[in-house]
Amino acid sequence: MSTTPTTAAIPDYLVGTWKADPVHSEVAYSVRQLMVSKARGRFADFDVTIVTGEDPLDSSVAATIDIGSIDTGNATRDKHLCSEEYFDVAKHPTMSYRSTGIRWTDGSWVVDGELTLHGVTRQVPLTLEVNGFVADPFGGQRAGFSATAQVNRHDFGVDGGGVAVSDKVAISLEIQAVLQT
């Protein structure tokens, strides 16, 4: 049985409210295409708020992602992904994530939460790495977090692509957050 790390075990841990710096953060995914390669994409517009509590287990995260900001490096594919066949951005312009708890399991942090996509809400745990807390050159404070998850796109009613696109979608988040004053 492992014990939960205290704030002392997280170097330079700071309590507060943090906003993701979109220039230094990434919300991305990858999916197998034709089962032989991976297609990757990212979302350029997102809002992520992280609250670090006195006890790390009391921390939380909330995020909203503009699905229309998808960027796969191919404008034609981006337009297709925004269509009714996939994300149906006209009806569902955003996806959101809201944490419901944080736990320490088998030597890692896990953020439990609800992902809402395509009008469907499902439980999606994020495996979290706390990368650190540091003063920036501008007199502010920064924190870094990496998180990963895997979802089944059909669980959210994203059924386009047939067998050309795998059911499993890997999600990766690289967040550099700025302490709000």
Side-chain angles (χ1 to χ4, degrees):
M1 180 173 152
S2 62
T3 59
T4 303
T6 65
T7 55
I10 304 170
D12 302 312
Y13 182 86
L14 289 173
V15 173
T17 299
W18 306 79
K19 295 292 269 183
D21 174 353
V23 174
H24 297 102
S25 299
E26 182 177 66
V27 175
Y29 73 91
S30 68
V31 63
R32 286 260 176 223
Q33 185 177 37
L34 299 174
M35 304 310 146
V36 296
S37 64
K38 288 184 181 178
R40 300 176 193 280
R42 59 183 293 278
F43 296 93
D45 295 330
F46 50 85
D47 179 47
V48 178
T49 301
I50 300 163
V51 177
T52 50
E54 292 286 340
D55 180 335
L57 296 176
D58 294 332
S59 300
S60 64
V61 62
T64 302
I65 296 111
D66 175 1
I67 298 172
S69 73
I70 195 166
D71 179 7
T72 64
N74 181 301
T76 302
R77 180 172 41 206
D78 297 346
K79 184 176 178 181
H80 188 206
L81 289 171
C82 289
S83 74
E84 289 178 13
E85 186 178 354
Y86 286 94
F87 290 120
D88 197 2
V89 171
K91 288 184 185 172
H92 307 287
T94 62
M95 71 175 117
S96 62
Y97 187 84
R98 180 184 64 82
S99 64
T100 57
I102 296 180
R103 58 191 160 92
W104 179 258
T105 303
D106 298 325
S108 357
W109 294 105
V110 176
V111 178
D112 292 310
E114 299 174 335
L115 176 65
T116 301
L117 169 63
H118 208 248
V120 177
T121 301
R122 297 271 188 255
Q123 291 290 322
V124 174
L126 297 171
T127 301
L128 176 70
E129 182 179 345
V130 179
N131 299 324
F133 296 81
V134 66
D136 68 25
F138 312 106
Q141 295 290 327
R142 302 272 173 154
F145 305 93
S146 300
T148 58
Q150 185 171 289
V151 297
N152 184 317
R153 64 190 179 94
H154 297 293
D155 290 347
F156 294 92
V158 180
D159 297 323
V163 297
V165 179
S166 72
D167 297 344
K168 295 177 183 178
V169 179
I171 298 169
S172 65
L173 308 164
E174 290 296 331
I175 304 297
Q176 185 180 116
V178 180
L179 182 63
Q180 304 300 289
T181 54

